[in-house]
């Protein structure tokens, strides 16, 4: 495998930020408040633990196996056959993830903008664009995102400032009224499913032009994201109260509310822009990773050779995966956190543990 493409530290950090932030921002406050009620904002703090664990495991492994992706070094750690099985599992996991992201995008656009257009149109347009981006390479996706992320953040900041005007701290009371347990339960969905999506480092680190910067860049991106999520959940609760838990896209409802209260019309257009651009980056990176998994597992020299067939398969996958928005929400809230925790946190940690034990044994033998 040739890694002639390189991304800078900034690009890696921004890719991490957009990858996790783009979808979490609109959906996560609702789930946290559904479980932890008015204390949902505190749940953000324990939910970061899985992300930090994943980050630590992957950066440690990358330092031990420089220039290799998780698919390549897992064979060295757990043996050829188990490594192959893990590779197949990750191909399935990423294919499934792309299908879910695409259908989530489709439902979102249908709910907000184009209720009458057939689902296939939205998924087709998104995946074809992403396929082109993947074919252009990770460097191009990184540059694209370097341009898009400041735009997205720039559009969010005025909304957050306007929301502060409507915020009422009384809605945060009673503080820890039911103890710490609901707060920890509220951290399960973001902790298991979203915060540990720093897991993409397992594939992106070999492309970093200065590997020594990996830890610093990843931590800065992760903490900036955690702060953003914290502010958004806090503000959504202070403006909408416990109603947040009943809304699918609570942050979007917050924008609509500010738009009605203030002198700004159609603020949700910004939410759509954040969602669409963020999702474009997210699906592109996922598709790139899927192509890498397949090409490294089956020894295909250039991952670009399989971009077209995998994009086509993803379009079919997204059409078959969920029938309705309710099914998707149930999957994301109840099934995905445990699957995500195993895939994104538990496996990298296990690989690190096995590798460390093997090195210790090897060291004591010699």
């Amino acid at each position: 495998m040739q890694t002639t493409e390189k991304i800078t530290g900034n690009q890696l950090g921004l890719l991490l930020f957009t990858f996790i932030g783009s979808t979490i921002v609109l959906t996560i406050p609702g789930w946290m408040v559904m479980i932890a009620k008015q204390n949902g904002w505190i749940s953000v703090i324990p939910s970061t633990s899985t992300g930090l664990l994943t980050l630590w495991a992957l950066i440690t492994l990358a330092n031990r196996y420089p220039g290799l992706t998780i698919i390549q070094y897992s064979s060295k750690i757990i043996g050829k056959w188990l490594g192959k099985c893990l590779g197949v599992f990750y191909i399935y996991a990423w294919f499934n993830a792309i299908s879910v992201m695409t259908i989530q995008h489709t439902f979102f656009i249908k709910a907000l903008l184009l209720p009458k257009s057939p689902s296939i149109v939205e998924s087709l347009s998104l995946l074809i664009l992403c396929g082109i981006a993947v074919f252009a390479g990770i460097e191009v996706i990184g540059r694209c995102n370097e341009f898009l992320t400041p735009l997205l953040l720039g559009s969010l900041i005025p909304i957050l400032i306007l929301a502060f005007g409507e915020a009422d701290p009384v809605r945060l009371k009673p503080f820890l009224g039911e103890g710490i347990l609901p707060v920890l339960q509220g951290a399960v969905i973001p902790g298991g499913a979203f915060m540990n999506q720093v897991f993409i480092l397992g594939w992106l680190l070999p492309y970093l032009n200065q590997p020594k910067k990996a830890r610093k860049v990843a931590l800065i991106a992760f903490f900036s994201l955690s702060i953003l999520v914290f502010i958004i959940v806090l503000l959504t609760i202070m403006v909408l109260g416990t109603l947040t838990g009943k809304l699918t896209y609570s942050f979007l409802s917050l924008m609509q509310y500010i738009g009605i209260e203030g002198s700004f019309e159609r603020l949700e257009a910004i939410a759509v822009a954040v969602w669409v651009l963020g999702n474009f980056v997210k699906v592109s990176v996922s598709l790139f990773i899927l192509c890498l998994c397949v090409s490294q597992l089956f020894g295909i020299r250039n991952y670009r050779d399989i971009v077209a067939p995998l994009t086509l398969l993803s379009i079919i996958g997204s059409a078959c995966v969920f029938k309705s928005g309710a099914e998707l929400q149930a999957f994301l809230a109840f099934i995905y956190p445990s699957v995500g925790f195993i895939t994104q946190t538990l496996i990298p940690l296990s690989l690190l543990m096995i590798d460390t034990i093997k090195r210790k044994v090897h060291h004591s033998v010699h």
Side-chain angles (χ1 to χ4, degrees), residues 1 58 61 65 67-94 199-204 206 288-299 343 347-348 351:
M1 277 299 292
L58 286 167
L61 283 165
Y65 297 97
L68 298 183
T69 67
I70 189 167
I71 296 283
Q72 292 166 314
Y73 59 64
S74 57
S75 303
K76 294 184 188 259
I77 297 172
I78 52 176
K80 192 177 172 187
W81 287 107
L82 276 176
K84 285 249 187 282
C85 293
L86 187 63
V88 171
F89 169 71
Y90 273 140
I91 289 172
Y92 168 73
W94 279 109
F199 162 72
I200 58 171
L201 286 171
W203 284 269
L204 297 185
F288 170 74
I289 291 174
L290 178 65
C291 293
L292 273 189
C293 288
V294 175
S295 61
Q296 288 174 354
L297 195 68
F298 298 106
T343 314
I347 294 178
L351 284 173

Side-chain angles (χ1 to χ4, degrees), residues 147-170:
F147 171 70
L148 292 175
T149 306
L151 272 181
L152 299 182
L153 281 176
S155 59
L156 276 181
I157 288 161
I159 289 174
L160 296 177
I161 293 167
L162 285 170
F164 264 109
E166 300 292 330
D168 181 4
V170 174

